Amino acid sequence: MAEVKLHPDWLARVGGEFEQPYMAALKTFLANERDKGKVIYPRPREWFAALDATPPQEVRVVILGQDPYHGPGQAHGLCFSVQPGVRTPPSLVNIYKEMSSDLGIARGAHGNLQHWAEQGVLLLNNCLTVEAGQAASHQGKGWEKFTDAVVAAVAADPAPKVFILWGSHAQKKAAHVVGLGAGSPHLILRAPHPSPLSAHNGFFGSRPFSQANDFLAAHGRGAIDWRLPDVPEPAAE
């Protein structure tokens, strides 16, 4: 993993994971896949983009995704987000619809969520890589253990946070993380996934954005400005 960067404050919390056997196996798997000529998304320097964009002490909201987008030019390391100039994917379109209904603000004119990440919204996928055109192709290779450790580190910090869990996959993942049980200082919001296949089963009308802001404001952590700028913000280098 020497070819990618990781924010030093995250290294202090989860850096030990890189010494674990599963991470060595994951590194070997990724190297072998690339040696076979397979295209992997996102680019290596963006594998940890969610952590680089949102240092641990700044996390106020966690949104869990499943895998990076597997189409050309889409994934850039933030779940549900796409690079500037890329068509907004259907799940994100539905997220924008719910945001508009919930908060009465205009839908995003693009699909880049860097603005959220820089306000303390950790946009974390369960797996941080995927083979081009092959959804879920890197599941079970080790990323889940690493992102479990990230979520556990966030939950262990007593500063109140909101965990937005869309779909059974995210909800099952969080159920095994220390700090999300009874007596937790955090707010957990569960709803169906925003995919067109499930959004009408309870995602629409779930009002996660206003609930998150009400909770954060009540606990002195400030509200998130969910509105997106007309022009995407560049990612920090």
Side-chain angles (χ1 to χ4, degrees):
M1 299 294 177
E3 61 192 339
V4 297
K5 63 178 181 176
L6 184 62
H7 194 286
D9 291 338
W10 279 114
L11 274 177
R13 289 164 171 79
V14 299
E17 297 300 308
F18 290 93
E19 307 302 321
Q20 299 299 316
Y22 81 84
M23 190 59 83
L26 173 60
K27 182 178 180 180
T28 298
F29 165 75
L30 292 170
N32 288 342
E33 291 294 280
R34 296 174 72 189
D35 287 345
K36 294 174 184 176
K38 294 184 179 181
V39 176
I40 295 174
Y41 295 133
R43 296 172 293 182
R45 66 185 181 89
E46 294 172 325
W47 291 351
F48 300 103
L51 304 185
D52 286 322
T54 313
Q57 68 275 14
E58 296 180 12
V59 175
R60 293 188 284 162
V61 176
V62 179
I63 296 178
L64 294 176
Q66 187 164 338
D67 298 285
Y69 295 118
H70 54 82
Q74 292 180 306
H76 65 117
L78 307 182
C79 74
F80 294 107
S81 179
V82 292
Q83 299 196 66
V86 176
R87 183 178 179 181
T88 304
S91 289
L92 185 53
V93 169
N94 285 339
I95 291 171
Y96 286 168
K97 288 179 180 178
E98 177 60 20
M99 181 182 70
S100 180
S101 174
D102 186 10
L103 300 177
I105 61 179
R107 301 177 189 177
H110 54 81
N112 188 275
L113 304 180
Q114 186 76 22
H115 179 65
W116 293 1
E118 293 180 356
Q119 294 183 78
V121 181
L122 180 61
L123 297 167
L124 185 69
N125 274 312
N126 191 33
C127 293
L128 301 188
T129 59
V130 70
E131 180 183 343
Q134 301 293 325
S137 52
H138 289 183
Q139 287 186 12
K141 304 300 182 181
W143 279 127
E144 295 93 337
K145 293 182 179 180
F146 178 76
T147 52
D148 277 350
V150 171
V151 176
V154 172
D157 178 1
K161 303 171 191 67
V162 181
F163 288 79
I164 298 178
L165 310 179
W166 290 327
S168 59
H169 199 280
Q171 292 166 22
K172 289 177 181 177
K173 179 182 179 70
H176 300 286
V177 176
V178 174
L180 292 182
S184 169
H186 313 306
L187 174 64
I188 307 167
L189 300 176
R190 297 177 173 89
H193 196 276
S195 162
L197 297 175
S198 55
H200 289 280
N201 294 329
F203 173 77
F204 289 132
S206 60
R207 303 182 62 244
F209 305 100
S210 61
Q211 289 190 73
N213 277 354
D214 288 348
F215 177 85
L216 292 172
H219 289 81
R221 302 216 66 197
I224 302 294
D225 179 11
W226 297 102
R227 296 171 298 179
L228 294 172
D230 290 338
V231 178
E233 298 175 3
E237 293 292 338

